[in-house]
Structures are given as structure tokens and as C-alpha cells.
Amino acid sequence: GIDPALKQISIPSACLVGNSVNGAGTVFVLIDGKLVRRSIRIGMDNHKRVEVLSGLKTTDEVVFHPPTSLTEASEVLATLVDETKLD
């Protein structure tokens, strides 16, 4: 198992947007009241919680059950800085 002393970050699986591919996942974090799309690296996934290897800090507010349709999310993201490139 994972050494609990490592204090690995884990989040509910329901925070992930879509399906994770090859250890890469996407979440939305709340920053100053706005949703920001964030790419993360994930490790173990037991379908309840996923281990986050990188891309998040313990202080980040991750959105639980983000909108599944990108159209909803795009409306929120449209208020963000244009540098945010969506793949």
C-alpha cells in the first residue's frame, strides 16, 4: 500500500472531468470564484478516490461533480484569461 506518511493528495473520482487517459486527468479548481481547468497526473484509482501525483496543491478547491457537458463549462471558462487553451 501507500505510506500514509507521504500525505499523498487524493480527491473523489467524481471530481474528474471525463475519463482519465494514461495517468492524465482533468479537474476544475475554484480560484477567486472562477472555475479553472487544470490538468493533473493521477495514480491509483479505486473508483471512489483517485490519487493525485501532480497538478494540485492541498489548498486547491477542486470542483465536485463538474458539469459534464463542455458547453456548460465553456460558458464559465469564457470569463477567464484567453491564454487558457482548451484541447
Side-chain angles (χ1 to χ4, degrees):
I2 296 169
D3 185 352
L6 290 176
K7 294 256 192 298
Q8 188 69 59
I9 298 176
S10 74
I11 59 174
S13 300
C15 291
L16 288 174
V17 179
N19 297 317
S20 54
V21 183
N22 298 329
T26 304
V27 294
F28 283 105
V29 290
L30 200 57
I31 298 175
D32 297 329
K34 294 191 175 84
L35 289 183
V36 178
R37 192 181 173 103
R38 177 84 58 80
S39 294
I40 58 172
R41 298 287 308 166
I42 58 178
M44 300 291 292
D45 180 357
N46 65 5
H47 303 294
K48 289 189 179 67
R49 294 190 73 82
V50 289
E51 176 190 31
V52 179
L53 303 178
S54 67
L56 285 179
K57 299 190 296 291
T58 48
T59 51
D60 283 332
E61 290 187 78
V62 181
V63 179
F64 189 68
H65 279 305
T68 42
S69 81
L70 272 179
T71 49
E72 283 179 70
S74 319
E75 288 169 25
V76 179
L77 289 167
T79 60
L80 298 173
V81 185
D82 288 340
E83 282 102 76
T84 310
K85 293 285 187 288
L86 297 179
D87 292 334

